[in-house]
Amino acid sequence: MSGILGFLRGCARLVARGNRAYYAWLGVLAAAILIGLLAYAHQFRTGLIATNMRDQVSWAFYVGNFTFLVGVAAAAVLLVIPAYVYEWEPIKEVVILGELLAVSAITMCLLFILVDMGRPDRFLHILPLLGSPNWPHSMLTWDALVLNGYLALNLTVVVHILYKGYRGEHYNRKLIVPLVLASIPGAVSIHTVTAFLYNGMAARPFWNASILAPRFIASAFCSGPAVMIILFQILRKTTRIAVKDEAIFKVAELMAYAMFVNLFLLGAEVFKEYYSATEHLLYTQYLWSGIGPHRALVPFAWLALACSVSAFLLFLVPRTRRNFVTLNAGCVLIWAGVYIEKGMGLVIPGMTPDTLGEIYEYRPTATEWAIAAGIFGVGFLVFTVLVKVAVPIMTGTFQAPDRAADHPSPGKSAAVA
């Protein structure tokens, strides 16, 4: 117990120390969280009428962000597979950073669902044993189970590896390797069940397609690694952690394959809708060409497609994929493309027109933007705190006092081997 308390005290000291840039970053995150809390207090007091969601469009900005972030969390598996299935060392050295990002992303996912429910106590209703969900028939309950299970899985791996690294000991392979390998189907399941939330609704033809789950997974392997590539570069410039170029380039190569699959599945879905030209085409038409004067989403749809295609071309060519200027540009483009595709391009057309044929043009309010900023602030704060603790352990500069003398530099082997 004394060792755990010493570890926690040491973690608190690490988080409290930093340079001016670090404190400025924490100040920015604190301001974003405060703005989000004030906006949520307004929404809690007045109800969801503070948002632009109505009976016609009851899922919107919050659910779009939730869906996108599930993909970011699932993308950690793109590091796990080459690291632990193929034992590729350059990726294995940074796989724990992907686990940290997954923890942060799932935290934001759960917060977006919480604010979308209106009242916090409603969150309990979807949890088995604690609440009274319609389980196992409710897909929302299944989604809550897999998301919380995936969060617990990643937290267990991260905490065990970091604590063992702090103690100068090797992690328990019999415990961690099965958990890490279990995170592969776990990552697939969180996005698959999220897709089932959509395509299980027969009354929403835009979502009622079996191709939606593989589309979700393919797009997740585009957007999530794009975030990781940028973070890897920031961390190796601001910390002592070494992230090899070959690890970054391998992730970029895997992203190129995922981008092709994502674009192919999107094209297959658009072809099916326009070629069959049934009455269900109306929802796809609203997204890509508009219905009469209702064209709010059309510019965003084509912008998302342009971003995704441009990023795919940049990642497809080895020369531009290995140039950090074009690589980073591609990461920003694919992030923007998938963010729009899974936000406005997925949620809003599924509910427009509504089941009675009415078209309600939804746009997020300032309250929704502020709450989203606060949730992203919480997510970035969680990731910052985790990295602030993980990096010294991985580099061997933060160890238990009784172990430091005998093991002067175990961080790398203990934390990531």
Side-chain angles (χ1 to χ4, degrees), residues 4 18 34 64 80 84 96 105 112 119 136 183 240 363 367 369:
I4 296 175
L34 178 61
V80 171
Y84 284 91
I96 192 171
F112 270 114
R119 293 203 333 250
S183 72
R240 295 177 57 188
R363 293 177 179 83
T367 298
W369 282 107

Side-chain angles (χ1 to χ4, degrees), residues 162-200:
L162 292 183
Y163 182 69
K164 285 295 186 180
Y166 166 77
R167 296 289 301 166
E169 302 168 0
H170 201 281
Y171 63 81
N172 185 345
R173 291 186 61 87
K174 292 182 179 179
L175 171 68
I176 293 302
V177 172
L179 289 179
V180 169
L181 294 178
S183 72
I184 298 174
V188 173
S189 70
I190 62 172
H191 226 14
T192 300
V193 175
T194 302
F196 287 171
L197 277 174
Y198 290 91
N199 67 14

Side-chain angles (χ1 to χ4, degrees), residues 2 5 10 16 35 95 112 116 122 157 208 211 257 282 296-297 319 354:
S2 61
L5 292 176
I35 291 171
V95 70
F112 270 114
D116 189 65
R122 289 175 176 161
V157 171
N208 191 221
I211 204 174
Y257 307 143
L282 203 61
L297 293 185
R319 183 175 180 180
D354 67 5

